[in-house]
Amino acid sequence: SAFAAMTTTATSGDATTWGEKGGVLPGREKVGPLLLIAICPVFSILMWHTNHDLDGSFVTLASNIWNAGGVTTYAYSVWPSPWAWRPWKIILSYMAFELALMKLVPGKPFEATVTAMGNVPKYTANGVQCYVLSLLALAGLGATGVFSPGDVYDLLGPMLSCMNVFALGFCLMLMLKGYVAPSSTDSGSTGSFIFDFYWGTELYPRILGWDVKMFTNCRFGMMFWALAPICYAHKQYQDVGYVSSSLFVSLALQLVYVTKFFWWETGYLCSMDIQHDRAGYYICWGCLVWLPCIYTSQSYYMVKHPLDLGPGLAACILAFGVFSIWANYDADRQRQAFRANDGKLTIWGKPATCVRATYVTSEGATRSSCLLASGWWGLARHFHYVPEITASLAWSVPVFPDLMPYFYVIYLSILLTDRAWRDDDRCRVKYGKFWDAYCEKVPSKIIPGIL
């Protein structure tokens, strides 16, 4: 099957097509992708509109849609123009700056895990340097008056509208590129135009030497996640003369999380997002539009809803959030160190336990891998998703009863639960009996003894 060609398999009976049948969410092959392509761009605009114009009330949104006679009519009436020049100027300037940093900032060479087709993705590991330079650049633009960071809050709707146009066209171009000029042999068509657009036709596309997924996922999406809440805090300061403790706590935790991400960026380049999800609508549109809109929505909401937490409560939420981020990082660190030392590692004071597995690539080569069953990875096969969800809860909870800031937590919980099932399905195809042996050692998927 095509999925087996993308990953690895020794048996064909369990193989799925590109992984779309794995996971807990139904309709991955045709219906699901078509619905997500049709619904998500509209939802991203309605999410911003609800936050910006309706005081974050989904009830008011539903009422307005009903009175307007439907979603299409209402969305059309509130959709910002995608042709205003200033949003495009901000977006294109940001893109050009990040693309330049990717090329010009020095870093150590890094080789990711070999692909099923025997290719070894190569990168320049300069994420931390680019992250620091991006923060300094925003501070410099604000300090010199060249650009007011608070304008990002005011222009987010038009920017999302522009990015929808850009991202949809970009994903179409990537699909066609995979047909006629793929960057590597990790490419191909599923036979479905809709699914090729949704999932992508290349695993590691590169354009003029730039790695597409490193740009969309890391240097555009994740970098925006750090910069945008700072811009929103600046907007609140402009409006009320101070930054509320609720927004400060949320901003601080998100910056800690994104800093952790760039510190660990080479680990992310060996994750499921990069190694197994192709560069199509699912990943690229998601990082160019969905991430800037949804992942920063709680901070956006807090701009107009300042709340004083008090020093004690603020400190408790900060501590809870920092611990969650550390636990998530430490789990990833354990796995990365375990692989680097071929399983010869002490974790939590004991020699690491592992299952040694072999698998066969699509080209017939036999390879081996160590499956970690100690430390965080001994609690559950995907326990690292738990602190990621609790961290997102920590930077959303400062506004307490309102629903809007918790949308990201709810979405993330669904996404990571589905991803845990997808990853299990993929690993079962890849490792066969060795995965079954691993599941006997670590029986829980996400929450020990529960799920």
Side-chain angles (χ1 to χ4, degrees), residues 303-351:
V303 172
K304 300 298 182 181
H305 299 82
L307 183 66
D308 181 21
L309 299 176
L313 184 56
C316 288
I317 294 173
L318 270 173
F320 174 68
V322 169
F323 174 79
S324 296
I325 295 168
W326 171 82
N328 176 255
Y329 164 77
D330 193 54
D332 290 325
R333 182 199 60 79
Q334 282 182 356
R335 182 169 58 179
Q336 199 170 20
F338 176 79
R339 289 172 175 171
N341 291 278
D342 192 33
K344 299 178 179 66
L345 192 70
T346 298
I347 297 178
W348 292 356
K350 299 178 181 179

Side-chain angles (χ1 to χ4, degrees), residues 230-360:
I230 296 174
C231 296
Y232 303 159
H234 184 261
K235 174 64 177 178
Q236 187 180 70
Y237 182 81
Q238 288 178 317
D239 287 351
V240 299
Y242 65 95
V243 175
S244 64
S245 57
S246 56
L247 181 52
F248 175 81
V249 167
S250 181
L251 169 61
L253 289 174
Q254 288 175 83
L255 286 178
V256 171
Y257 181 85
V258 178
T259 301
K260 182 270 297 184
F261 172 86
F262 282 106
W263 183 264
W264 174 77
E265 188 182 43
T266 53
Y268 176 72
L269 296 174
C270 297
S271 72
M272 190 173 182
D273 281 356
I274 302 297
Q275 286 190 306
H276 306 290
D277 293 340
R278 293 199 167 195
Y281 174 89
Y282 173 74
I283 282 290
C284 295
W285 180 90
C287 290
L288 293 171
V289 181
W290 187 260
L291 191 160
C293 176
I294 303 301
Y295 288 36
T296 69
S297 58
Q298 64 284 106
S299 302
Y300 196 89
Y301 177 85
M302 292 178 195
V303 172
K304 300 298 182 181
H305 299 82
L307 183 66
D308 181 21
L309 299 176
L313 184 56
C316 288
I317 294 173
L318 270 173
F320 174 68
V322 169
F323 174 79
S324 296
I325 295 168
W326 171 82
N328 176 255
Y329 164 77
D330 193 54
D332 290 325
R333 182 199 60 79
Q334 282 182 356
R335 182 169 58 179
Q336 199 170 20
F338 176 79
R339 289 172 175 171
N341 291 278
D342 192 33
K344 299 178 179 66
L345 192 70
T346 298
I347 297 178
W348 292 356
K350 299 178 181 179
T353 302
C354 75
V355 172
R356 292 199 173 267
T358 59
Y359 60 95
V360 181

Side-chain angles (χ1 to χ4, degrees), residues 427-450:
C427 289
R428 184 161 285 107
V429 171
K430 179 175 181 177
Y431 297 116
K433 64 181 181 181
F434 300 106
W435 187 252
D436 293 335
Y438 180 66
C439 291
E440 288 182 10
K441 282 186 174 290
V442 188
S444 298
K445 273 191 174 75
I446 303 174
I447 303 174
I450 298 176

